[in-house]
Amino acid sequence: MRRERRRRLYDATCRDRRRRLYDATLRAAVPFFLGVLLNFFALALSAPAFAQTAAGTFSTVSGQVQIQRAGVTIGAASGVGVNVGDRILTGASGHAIITLNDQSRLEIGPISSIALDEFTVTGGAPSTRVSLFSGVLRSLVTAATGGAANYQVHTPNAIAGVRGTKFDTAYTENVIRPGYQGCDRYTDVSVYQGTVNLAPIANPSTGQDVSAGYEATLPCDRPATAPGPLAMTGAVSFDSAAAGGHGLFASSMPGSSGAPAPVSPVAPVVAATGSGGSPPPPPPPPPPPGAPPL
C-alpha cells in the first residue's frame, strides 16, 4: 500500500517537472521565433531598396524640388543621393543640379519633371537615359574614358541622342504655336557643344543632326525642323525658360521655322550727301512769332 502510494507520488512529481520544463522552453522559444519572423518580414519589405542602383547626388537645390521614389515623395536637398528610377519634380521657383557618378550633370529648370531611367557603366563607357515629361533640362555630358558615351533624353514625342557634351532639351504641350496647326506638343533642342540628333520617338532613324550653335524643334510626331541659330528660331532653351522668355509656360509661343536669323529691325545709319559730296545744309529755323510767313 505504501509502495503504491510512493509510486503515484513519484509519477506525479515527474509529470509536474516535465510540464514546468515544457512551459519554460515554450516561453523562451516563442519570442525567439517571433523575432525571426519579424526580421524576415523586415528584410522582405526592404528588398526593393537593396535593388536600387545609386546613380548620382544632388549638388545644388533651390526652391521646391521633390523626389518620387518607390511610391514615396521626399524633399530633395544638396547631398541627397539619386537612384535609377527616381522621378524629380521642381516647382515654379525650383532649380536643381544632379551630378552623376560619371561626373555628367543634369540641370533641371522650374516646373519640370524628369525621371532617371537608366545609368550603367560598362568598361568605362556610361549608358544614360533620362525621360523629360515637362519643362526644361540642361545636360552636360562628360566624355567617357572607356568608349563613346551613350546618353539620351526621351520626351513624349522625341529622342535627343547625344554625340556632344552640352545641350538643352525642352518639352511643352497643350499649346499650339503659330504655323503648327493641330499640333500641341513640342520638343526643342539647343546645342552648345558637340552634336545632338533629334528624332521622332516613333521613328528614331529619321533624326535631324543639330550642331553646336544651333537649335531645332520637333513638333508632335513630325520630323524636326531645319536647325537655326541659337535664340533665333523661337525654340525654348534653359536660359529663355529661366528668364521667362518665349513663354515656356504661357498660353502662346512664337513659331519655330528653323529659318536663318532674321534681319535686324534697326536700319543702318547712312550719311546723306548733296550733289557735291558735302552734307546738305540744315533746314532754316522757324520764323519768330508774329513775323510774316516766308
Side-chain angles (χ1 to χ4, degrees):
M1 192 69 176
R2 290 181 180 177
R3 189 179 301 158
E4 182 67 23
R5 189 179 299 170
R6 284 197 298 270
R7 188 173 64 249
R8 286 199 299 268
L9 181 60
Y10 175 80
D11 293 340
T13 303
C14 290
R15 285 195 301 271
D16 185 67
R17 287 179 179 176
R18 285 195 299 268
R19 187 172 60 253
R20 288 198 300 268
L21 181 62
Y22 173 81
D23 293 341
T25 303
L26 188 62
R27 285 195 298 269
V30 168
F32 173 79
F33 285 111
L34 284 176
V36 171
L37 288 173
L38 290 174
N39 288 333
F40 172 80
F41 285 118
L43 289 173
L45 291 174
S46 61
F50 292 118
Q52 290 177 337
T53 301
T57 306
F58 282 96
S59 53
T60 300
V61 174
S62 62
Q64 186 180 20
V65 182
Q66 294 180 331
I67 308 169
Q68 291 182 349
R69 177 182 300 165
V72 178
T73 300
I74 59 177
S78 180
V80 172
V82 177
N83 297 333
V84 173
D86 284 357
R87 184 163 180 167
I88 296 95
L89 303 94
T90 60
S93 61
H95 172 262
I97 297 177
I98 298 172
T99 301
L100 298 177
N101 292 341
D102 67 343
Q103 299 308 303
S104 295
R105 291 192 303 171
L106 311 178
E107 187 169 2
I108 311 167
I111 316 182
S112 300
S113 174
I114 75 164
L116 185 57
D117 299 323
E118 177 185 351
F119 181 80
T120 58
V121 179
T122 303
S127 180
T128 308
R129 192 180 78 184
V130 181
S131 287
L132 174 65
F133 303 105
S134 63
V136 61
L137 169 70
R138 172 166 290 176
S139 303
L140 183 59
V141 183
T142 300
T145 57
N150 178 13
Y151 183 96
Q152 294 183 342
V153 177
H154 287 223
T155 70
N157 73 323
I159 300 174
V162 178
R163 294 192 295 275
T165 55
K166 185 178 180 181
F167 69 104
D168 294 348
T169 309
Y171 177 74
T172 55
E173 60 183 19
N174 299 324
V175 171
I176 297 180
R177 301 182 185 182
Y180 296 105
Q181 287 78 9
C183 177
D184 63 352
R185 297 182 300 150
Y186 307 90
T187 294
D188 298 305
V189 163
S190 305
V191 183
Y192 308 103
Q193 296 174 5
T195 301
V196 174
N197 185 265
L198 181 61
I201 197 167
N203 197 356
S205 62
T206 61
Q208 169 75 56
D209 282 348
V210 186
S211 302
Y214 289 84
E215 61 191 14
T217 297
L218 194 149
C220 289
D221 299 321
R222 308 170 191 174
T225 62
L230 287 173
M232 290 293 182
T233 72
V236 177
S237 68
F238 195 96
D239 293 333
S240 68
H246 300 292
L248 175 59
F249 309 109
S251 59
S252 62
M253 299 182 66
S256 176
S257 62
V263 177
S264 171
V266 180
V269 178
V270 180
T273 59
S275 59
S278 59
L294 296 175

